[in-house]
Amino acid sequence: MIRGGGYAAAATALLALSVNSFAPQHSAFTPQSIAPQKAGVFGTIKSAFFNKHETTSALSAATLDAPASTVQTVEDYVEARGGNRPIRKVLIANNGMAATKSIMSMRQWAYMEFGDEKAIQFVAMATPEDLKANAEFIRLADSFVEVPGGKNLNNYANVDVITKIAQEQGVDAVWPGWGHASENPKLPNTLNALGIKFIGPTGPVMSVLGDKIAANILAQTAKVPSIPWSGSFGGPDDGPLEANLNAEGTIPDEIFEKGTARTVEEAIEAARRIGYDNGIMIKASEGGGGKGIRFVDNEEDLAAAFETVKSEVVGSPIFIMQLCKNARHIEVQIVGDQHGNAVALNGRDCSTQRRFQKIFEEGPPSIVPKETFHEMELAAQRLTQNIGYQGAGTVEYLFNADTNEYYFLELNPRLQVEHPVTEGITGANLPATQLQVAMGIPLYNIPEIRMLYGREDPYGVDPIDFLEERYRDMDTHVIAARITAENPDEGFKPTSGSIERIKFQSKPNCWGYFSVGANGGIHEFADSQFGHLFAKGPDRESARKNLVLALKEMEVRGDIRNSVEYLVKLLETDDFKANNIDTSWLDGIIKEKSVTVDVPDHDVVLGAAVFKAFEHVKSATEEVKESFRKGQTSTGDIPGINSFSIEVAYLDTKYSFEVERITPDTYRFTLGSNVLDIEVTQTAEGALLANFGGVGHRIIGMDEPLGLRLSLDGNTILMPTIFDPSELRTDVTGKVVRYLQDNGSAVDAGQPYVEVEAMKMIMPIKASESGKITHSLSPGSVISAGDLLASLELTDPSKVKKIGTFDGTLDIDRTEFELDAEKSVSNLLAGFNLDAEAVATQAFDGANVDSATELVVNALNEFYRVESQFDGQIADDVVRSLTKANVDSLDVVISENQAHQQLNKRSQLVLGLIRQLDTYSDRFG
């Protein structure tokens, strides 16, 4: 263990180290080494384990004060800690968040323990899509092997591909992460036969516990309360199904089958016995992460939902379960070792969900009374210990705070994405704990576990009875927020595309990590989550406030939509503050649209107008410069750079602006009787700063196939393009699964007409109008946002929503915009459209005789300088000459011609200034 300045010091030291690439080895998959890194290996991670309270926590105390072990090899460490299998090289059979976090955490552990972050080598798998998306985990790995792209069945979920790479790369172990192949028993079974360690449970145990049906049967056998489900009958006396494991360590097939619903008819029968009073859940036993689960509250919807679940998790057994209302989703983090020990590392409250996908996770689960939660921990330990569970897993419960009752939900035989919440409150590095358990080290010999249980010597070897002893009290609360490429305005629809940059700065009370770097992206086969933030505090409210502040300062720029602003609104609701939520809370909010990000309509309109005007000037200027590069001499398009029309459509209203650029940075917007002068500047990062209505605004815009996505002061607004109402277009990227009506059939407005697959989720798209449908594509077609999916022969074209034209007064306070005299003269001479007489009259205001004289002389000189270039010359020859002299600065060619084209106004200004000379005696005496 490293003595001295703790995790922060260790991370600082690592930043000074260069990361050598791991030499590629021969493989059918062509491994490639990673170029040496200039920065440290931890990427955006600040401290994977929070350091707890910097001077008092068990973690920091162990880091700073505990006896340091002699820097040693992995083999020495494993032998000293009672293990039996050194692991030096690991294949990461995952991508995205899982791969990123695992490498960062295990590297940090290696450096803290051995003073060498390279003590463990990591081989990554990388699809062409991940390489193109600039995935962070590829940079972090020592080497990577390129694997086939497309669906995960071609790569990260393909056991044959994983095991072949593991063999060829000579790895000691495979880390599966979450999702993909992490719950496929074939993977640990195959690796075991090859003599390669699977970092997780054995195949038979994974099979029985990872399957939600088998896990519920085992829970019932162990007398753990279960929610009414399709296995609540058919057992002894037609009661709950019960079973002991057979010789292969699995549930007997005939008992297992009684808990499944293989057909729609079986699902209907099970649902009738359970009852629809609370609603019915249709769940795929191999599903997870919001995939393979649907809710219905009537028999009519059950058949379609059953088929959707079958499509999302092909081949998975399906079971039926009653929805537990007013329930909290509570998790217990368990870890088992090969010596028969099982420890519960506290838990998490994951009740904030939409479509059964978690949004926030927090720990400890403060809603559960301490003694009740301890009972849940002990039940989880007994359940896993009895069947010899090895590795990290999560026992999930539904908890009713009103009755203090809890019910077994499932056991996930893997690490979960929210595990850093547990790291933050316990100080245990979970990927490193997984690694040490895989090395055969008993749980009570792992230093961080010993510190959690109050052992003075983290390197001692005295046993701990985890069923009898309790860990120290938790003195920190952590709340996590998932950062996803989803559109909260459309029910959290997943999106894909490029990510230009992520602006986030870890702080002592909030850190985060991301699966993509700058100029990366989220591809259509990726998970929608690309970031995770973790805020801590001494209590829940402090952690909540720290998370809100971090989210408010965060900015994501690129093609994707994200949920950051919406998350802030959720965290600031009274219900969340009071911890008065359940698993249906967020879905109710989404359905009712009771939480919205509100921005004044006319602020949005003017923000969009500013963006469009700025983009017009930029693109029009570039078009003229491009014509000069091609040797063309026409200057007819130059006036259009500064004088043009733009149109903004928002909330069924069209706003037609006339725009005049009156200085390089000032735009005059005219809309009927509304006239506003707005100064616009662009920051180094590309955002526009504009002041209107007496308020400064920050504007970022991006044109998309379906319209303009505008970020105004941190709030994202989609301003759709006005399409033909008979066209039905997609707003997601993915592929067509199936159309829900035959060609020529009628479809009503608001009725789903097609199902598409996007980001591993199947979702319906609804018709915007009523009519007879004609399909434009076939099932399986790959689609991008904006593509035409179908067309409608409208039932009643007269009822189609009309777009009105704005002719009123903008609800924007007009502020006076004044240029000083000298700038006004300069801008008019540069060809900008100002009132020449007014500028000349005001030119001497506030001036003395010397400055007034200098102003006139400079104006005359500038007028002469420009016009002398054109005097007696053919215009085309002047352009050729200017272009040749300014080949690297063609803006000069535009500016000189722009000034010359305003000769009349410039002449009026000069004559006006000369007339002002007659006022010298009155002005200056």
Side-chain angles (χ1 to χ4, degrees):
M1 182 174 181
I2 300 299
R3 184 189 298 273
Y7 279 94
T12 301
L14 272 171
L15 291 176
L17 298 176
S18 62
V19 182
N20 297 320
S21 61
F22 183 66
Q25 301 180 29
H26 296 291
S27 164
F29 291 97
T30 317
Q32 301 177 52
S33 61
I34 309 301
Q37 307 296 315
K38 294 181 180 179
V41 298
F42 297 123
T44 53
I45 195 170
K46 180 177 177 63
S47 166
F49 324 114
F50 282 92
N51 284 350
K52 302 286 291 149
H53 298 303
E54 281 72 17
T55 58
T56 60
S57 75
L59 178 60
S60 61
T63 303
L64 297 171
D65 305 323
S69 63
T70 304
V71 174
Q72 55 200 324
T73 65
V74 174
E75 289 78 8
D76 292 338
Y77 179 85
V78 172
E79 182 178 359
R81 307 312 305 146
N84 55 22
R85 186 170 192 155
I87 293 175
R88 297 295 302 270
K89 190 175 182 182
V90 178
L91 172 64
I92 305 298
N94 213 301
N95 65 341
M97 298 293 291
T100 302
K101 176 59 167 61
S102 66
I103 298 174
M104 290 192 299
S105 291
M106 286 188 272
R107 281 217 192 283
Q108 186 160 1
W109 171 78
Y111 185 79
M112 295 301 297
E113 203 60 62
F114 310 114
D116 178 13
E117 81 282 5
K118 287 293 190 176
I120 311 292
Q121 297 285 311
F122 297 99
V123 180
M125 299 166 57
T127 65
E129 293 88 355
D130 281 326
L131 289 166
K132 183 179 179 181
N134 193 26
E136 186 74 0
F137 75 94
I138 301 173
R139 183 187 70 81
L140 293 173
D142 296 285
S143 63
F144 70 90
V145 178
E146 187 168 349
V147 293
K151 285 189 171 184
N152 67 352
L153 290 175
N154 300 335
N155 38 72
Y156 305 109
N158 189 310
V159 172
D160 293 336
V161 169
I162 295 169
T163 53
K164 183 176 179 63
I165 293 172
Q167 276 187 291
E168 293 179 343
Q169 296 300 303
V171 301
D172 302 312
V174 172
W175 187 86
W178 49 84
H180 298 311
S182 64
E183 296 182 56
N184 187 343
K186 181 183 175 183
L187 182 57
N189 289 338
T190 305
L191 291 171
N192 184 59
L194 296 171
I196 299 171
K197 183 66 178 177
F198 176 80
I199 302 179
T202 60
V205 171
M206 176 186 287
S207 177
V208 71
L209 280 183
D211 185 281
K212 297 172 178 65
I213 296 171
N216 272 281
I217 294 173
L218 281 179
Q220 291 176 164
T221 306
K223 309 305 179 186
V224 178
S226 291
I227 305 163
W229 68 295
S230 50
S232 292
F233 33 82
D237 300 323
D238 201 30
L241 296 174
E242 297 181 4
N244 294 314
L245 300 182
N246 57 28
E248 289 76 31
T250 60
I251 296 288
D253 289 344
E254 63 274 15
I255 297 177
F256 180 90
E257 285 299 320
K258 289 181 179 181
T260 67
R262 293 289 184 180
T263 65
V264 171
E265 291 72 25
E266 290 180 3
I268 291 173
E269 177 60 26
R272 286 174 178 171
R273 294 197 64 174
I274 295 168
Y276 288 95
D277 292 344
N278 290 335
I280 292 293
M281 306 300 304
I282 306 167
K283 304 181 73 173
S285 64
E286 297 171 8
K291 188 177 181 181
I293 181 170
R294 287 295 185 277
F295 166 79
V296 296
D297 56 11
N298 61 79
E299 196 166 292
E300 291 180 359
D301 295 338
L302 189 146
F306 185 86
E307 293 299 329
T308 298
V309 171
K310 282 181 63 177
S311 299
E312 286 190 347
V313 190
V314 177
S316 170
I318 295 173
F319 64 103
I320 311 300
M321 177 175 281
Q322 184 185 81
L323 176 68
C324 185
K325 289 188 174 180
N326 305 316
R328 304 289 287 248
H329 182 119
I330 305 298
E331 300 179 346
V332 173
Q333 178 68 62
I334 55 103
V335 184
D337 66 20
Q338 61 185 254
H339 306 281
N341 302 299
V343 63
L345 301 177
N346 203 267
R348 303 174 289 264
D349 185 342
C350 304
S351 300
T352 309
Q353 307 177 3
R354 88 285 179 277
R355 293 201 313 264
F356 314 106
Q357 178 78 5
K358 299 159 191 172
I359 295 290
F360 299 128
E361 306 100 350
E362 57 182 293
S366 55
I367 194 68
V368 186
K370 186 174 181 180
E371 290 306 313
T372 301
F373 186 70
H374 186 56
E375 291 177 16
M376 297 165 76
E377 289 181 306
L378 290 174
Q381 287 173 269
R382 288 193 300 268
L383 181 61
T384 55
Q385 193 174 42
N386 288 347
I387 58 171
Y389 187 91
Q390 298 177 29
T394 303
V395 177
E396 300 185 358
Y397 296 97
L398 292 178
F399 172 74
N400 189 314
D402 294 331
T403 64
N404 199 36
E405 295 176 331
Y406 61 91
Y407 302 95
F408 176 81
L409 182 60
E410 62 182 343
L411 192 153
N412 283 308
R414 54 175 171 79
L415 201 59
Q416 292 188 262
V417 66
E418 62 267 25
H419 72 270
V421 171
T422 297
E423 294 179 329
I425 60 178
T426 66
N429 178 340
L430 286 174
T433 298
Q434 287 182 291
L435 182 64
Q436 292 172 81
V437 166
M439 293 180 183
I441 297 173
L443 282 165
Y444 54 76
N445 280 352
I446 294 177
E448 289 172 347
I449 302 296
R450 295 181 61 80
M451 288 188 284
L452 180 64
Y453 276 80
R455 292 299 193 265
E456 291 185 3
D457 181 8
Y459 288 91
V461 293
D462 53 305
I464 301 173
D465 187 337
F466 296 113
L467 289 173
E468 295 295 330
E469 295 190 44
R470 291 200 180 189
Y471 49 72
R472 61 170 173 78
D473 289 336
M474 301 291 99
D475 57 2
T476 297
H477 197 92
V478 174
I479 303 180
R482 299 190 184 195
I483 310 301
T484 58
E486 296 175 325
N487 182 2
D489 298 332
E490 296 291 335
F492 285 86
K493 275 186 180 179
T495 65
S496 60
S498 66
I499 294 179
E500 183 180 327
R501 69 189 297 267
I502 299 172
K503 179 185 175 184
F504 174 79
Q505 180 63 51
S506 288
K507 297 179 179 179
N509 290 327
C510 188
W511 73 278
Y513 74 103
F514 302 88
S515 62
V516 295
N519 300 314
I522 306 295
H523 56 79
E524 62 268 33
F525 302 108
D527 188 86
S528 63
Q529 184 181 358
F530 65 92
H532 218 161
L533 304 191
F534 303 87
K536 70 172 183 176
D539 51 47
R540 185 176 187 272
E541 179 61 7
S542 299
R544 185 193 69 82
K545 288 180 176 178
N546 287 330
L547 184 55
V548 168
L549 288 173
L551 287 166
K552 283 186 174 182
E553 294 175 2
M554 183 177 174
E555 181 181 296
V556 179
R557 295 184 59 184
D559 295 334
I560 63 164
R561 293 294 305 273
N562 68 81
S563 55
V564 172
E565 301 135 26
Y566 194 84
L567 297 182
V568 171
K569 293 290 185 181
L570 290 177
L571 288 166
E572 293 187 324
T573 59
D574 291 338
D575 281 339
F576 191 90
K577 290 178 182 178
N579 205 7
N580 184 29
I581 58 176
D582 58 33
T583 54
S584 63
W585 174 70
L586 181 53
D587 280 329
I589 284 176
I590 294 171
K591 183 178 181 180
E592 299 296 328
K593 296 187 176 181
S594 57
V595 172
T596 57
V597 180
D598 295 324
V599 183
D601 293 350
H602 290 174
D603 282 4
V604 174
V605 170
L606 209 49
V610 167
F611 171 75
K612 284 176 172 281
F614 187 88
E615 288 298 302
H616 168 87
V617 170
K618 187 166 65 173
S619 61
T621 300
E622 181 55 35
E623 287 176 7
V624 173
K625 289 197 287 188
E626 183 60 25
S627 71
F628 291 157
R629 293 187 191 103
K630 294 177 178 178
Q632 297 171 4
T633 59
S634 172
T635 59
D637 291 335
I638 290 179
I641 295 175
N642 295 328
S643 184
F644 51 91
S645 302
I646 59 170
E647 188 173 276
V648 174
Y650 187 55
L651 299 180
D652 304 324
T653 302
K654 185 169 60 177
Y655 300 78
S656 300
F657 289 92
E658 295 299 323
V659 185
E660 189 77 36
R661 193 160 68 127
I662 58 176
T663 81
D665 300 322
T666 308
Y667 297 74
R668 175 166 291 161
F669 293 88
T670 302
L671 178 65
S673 61
N674 302 275
V675 181
L676 296 102
D677 291 345
I678 301 175
E679 188 172 13
V680 182
T681 57
Q682 187 174 36
T683 66
E685 59 190 15
L688 303 181
L689 304 180
N691 190 304
F692 50 85
V695 179
H697 297 278
R698 192 169 189 270
I699 301 167
I700 298 171
M702 178 168 291
D703 285 310
E704 299 180 344
L706 291 176
L708 171 66
R709 177 150 53 90
L710 183 75
S711 173
L712 181 64
D713 303 324
N715 300 302
T716 300
I717 306 100
L718 182 63
M719 307 177 72
T721 300
I722 300 173
F723 284 112
D724 182 337
S726 67
E727 296 178 347
L728 300 178
R729 296 179 180 273
T730 175
D731 58 352
V732 298
T733 296
K735 74 172 185 178
V736 176
V737 176
R738 61 174 180 145
Y739 286 94
L740 302 178
Q741 293 86 19
D742 292 333
N743 260 321
S745 297
V747 61
D748 295 328
Q751 180 182 359
Y753 69 93
V754 68
E755 286 182 345
V756 300
E757 181 179 352
M759 311 290 285
K760 302 187 290 186
M761 293 289 291
I762 292 177
M763 63 190 67
I765 296 181
K766 298 177 181 179
S768 53
E769 301 292 343
S770 299
K772 290 183 179 180
I773 192 168
T774 300
H775 305 160
S776 300
L777 300 170
S778 57
S781 298
V782 176
I783 55 176
S784 298
D787 284 354
L788 184 68
L789 296 180
S791 57
L792 289 175
E793 181 184 329
L794 297 175
T795 302
D796 186 353
S798 66
K799 291 184 178 180
V800 173
K801 187 182 295 183
K802 301 294 192 298
I803 304 297
T805 299
F806 183 81
D807 59 1
T809 302
L810 289 172
D811 189 17
I812 301 284
D813 291 336
R814 181 172 182 180
T815 55
E816 293 297 324
F817 181 81
E818 295 183 1
L819 284 173
D820 66 51
E822 187 174 352
K823 285 185 178 178
S824 295
V825 170
S826 176
N827 286 320
L828 199 151
L829 288 170
F832 290 102
N833 190 12
L834 294 168
D835 186 329
E837 287 298 328
V839 171
T841 301
Q842 298 168 8
F844 295 162
D845 290 353
N848 57 37
V849 64
D850 292 335
S851 60
T853 302
E854 183 180 9
L855 180 64
V856 174
V857 171
N858 288 342
L860 291 172
N861 286 335
E862 175 62 13
F863 181 89
Y864 176 77
R865 185 194 67 78
V866 172
E867 296 310 319
S868 63
Q869 299 177 80
F870 294 87
D871 186 36
Q873 301 293 320
I874 297 173
D876 288 357
D877 292 340
V878 175
V879 171
R880 290 190 188 94
S881 178
L882 286 170
T883 301
K884 184 177 180 180
N886 299 279
V887 66
D888 295 324
S889 53
L890 293 175
D891 286 316
V892 172
V893 185
I894 294 176
S895 63
E896 299 293 73
N897 281 276
Q898 175 180 291
H900 177 63
Q901 288 174 345
Q902 294 293 328
L903 177 60
N904 287 339
K905 282 213 168 192
R906 295 168 73 246
S907 298
Q908 291 175 31
L909 173 64
V910 170
L911 292 173
L913 290 174
I914 293 173
R915 284 194 296 271
Q916 291 297 314
L917 295 177
D918 292 337
T919 68
Y920 256 45
S921 58
D922 295 331
R923 288 178 182 271
F924 310 119

